[in-house]
Amino acid sequence: MESKVEVNGAKLQYYRRGEGEHPVLLIPGALGSGKTDLTPQLEKLDGNLFTLVAMDPRGYGKSIPPNRVFPLDFFQKDADDAAALMTALGFSKFSLLGWSDGGIIALILAGSYPDLLRKMVVWGANATVSQKDIDSYEGVRDIKKWSERMRQPMVDLYGEDNFQHLWGAWIDGFTNIYQQKGGDVCLSAVSKIRCPSLIVHGQKDTLVGQNHPDYLHATIKGSKLVNMPEGKHNLHMKYADEFNKIVTAFLTDCKSDL
């Protein structure tokens, strides 16, 4: 099912599937929606084990209006929205799956609202941004340089011109974080995370280098790191079955509970 709920002054779109006892919030990547980014997890993870909720962050997907903006604290605002969404849906404690920007949102949510969290899985996420990272984003500022598989769902969602504008604004937002905050995306939040956490990394990811998951693994106490040698940034799509098995094993493993 899909519906909307009012959260912090905005009507957020969400998709829900399953009736399992373990609620899991799925958070998409930059500009993404629950449907464009996380369908392999929303549709294929076991609905008997999990209650799956995939969100469209404000200004993305079907959570428009409002139009998307990128102030310095836009990730914190997204994390606040995500926590409020799950609370509004009646979940007092839940787990997180966050990809790319969704992983950053998950990290901030876990550090900001530790009492709400059961477990967390992130992939393609970074706690800092460097000039090298900015250069890699600038290299794909022109959406025509995106792969067809990654570009077309966004064009279908926003239209080509709106997608190009939104993507450019996202790059500018990250550049501002680098220039005005010294590249600190979510360092303080990461240091506060105490829920059992799994970091998955595709070692052929050209947007997020190995240093990022290594830092998260070293900083988040008791966390686990799984490297997928052939995985790229969208490993959860291309290797959905393998990824979903890893996620299911982690979320259902009582030994990983603190």
Side-chain angles (χ1 to χ4, degrees), residues 110-138:
S112 301
Y113 302 92
D115 293 339
L116 296 180
L117 269 289
R118 289 177 64 164
K119 296 184 179 182
M120 176 179 65
V121 182
V122 297
W123 66 106
N126 46 295
T128 61
V129 62
S130 66
Q131 184 61 57
K132 181 179 179 181
D133 297 321
I134 297 298
D135 290 344
S136 72
Y137 305 152
E138 288 290 353

Side-chain angles (χ1 to χ4, degrees), residues 77-242:
K77 291 182 182 297
D78 287 334
D80 294 340
D81 282 350
L85 170 65
M86 292 301 277
T87 300
L89 294 178
F91 301 115
S92 60
K93 210 170 182 68
F94 52 90
S95 291
L96 297 172
L97 296 186
W99 173 50
S100 195
D101 273 22
I104 295 170
I105 296 166
L107 292 166
I108 294 174
L109 197 163
S112 301
Y113 302 92
D115 293 339
L116 296 180
L117 269 289
R118 289 177 64 164
K119 296 184 179 182
M120 176 179 65
V121 182
V122 297
W123 66 106
N126 46 295
T128 61
V129 62
S130 66
Q131 184 61 57
K132 181 179 179 181
D133 297 321
I134 297 298
D135 290 344
S136 72
Y137 305 152
E138 288 290 353
V140 288
R141 180 183 281 266
D142 184 349
I143 61 172
K144 292 182 175 63
K145 295 181 179 179
W146 287 39
S147 70
E148 181 70 18
R149 181 177 183 179
M150 297 297 289
R151 180 180 65 248
Q152 194 57 49
M154 295 297 183
V155 171
D156 293 341
L157 191 60
Y158 299 110
E160 188 164 348
D161 289 344
N162 286 338
F163 172 34
Q164 180 65 75
H165 172 77
L166 196 57
W167 176 237
W170 179 91
I171 294 175
D172 294 342
F174 247 110
T175 301
N176 288 336
I177 291 174
Y178 173 66
Q179 293 177 343
Q180 298 181 41
K181 296 181 64 179
D184 182 353
V185 178
C186 60
L187 291 175
S188 60
V190 169
S191 66
K192 298 174 185 175
I193 294 171
R194 63 174 190 250
C195 68
S197 301
L198 172 65
I199 302 114
V200 183
H201 180 63
Q203 293 187 297
K204 292 187 177 180
D205 189 336
T206 58
L207 290 177
V208 177
Q210 186 71 48
N211 59 302
H212 290 296
D214 286 347
Y215 172 81
L216 294 175
H217 179 45
T219 305
I220 301 173
K221 184 179 179 181
S223 63
K224 300 179 180 180
L225 172 61
V226 173
N227 287 310
M228 296 178 65
E230 297 302 313
K232 296 183 180 180
H233 196 60
N234 63 342
L235 60 87
H236 66 295
M237 299 178 185
K238 186 171 183 179
Y239 301 103
D241 290 343
E242 180 182 356

Side-chain angles (χ1 to χ4, degrees), residues 29-89:
L31 283 59
S33 71
K35 278 291 184 70
T36 58
D37 288 9
L38 296 162
T39 290
Q41 287 65 54
L42 183 63
E43 294 186 352
K44 293 184 178 181
L45 287 172
D46 192 338
N48 293 314
L49 295 174
F50 308 114
T51 296
L52 302 158
V53 178
M55 70 178 292
D56 292 3
R58 70 170 61 213
Y60 289 164
K62 293 184 179 180
S63 293
I64 301 172
N67 292 325
R68 183 70 186 193
V69 292
F70 298 93
L72 283 175
D73 61 347
F74 70 88
F75 283 122
Q76 181 66 58
K77 291 182 182 297
D78 287 334
D80 294 340
D81 282 350
L85 170 65
M86 292 301 277
T87 300
L89 294 178

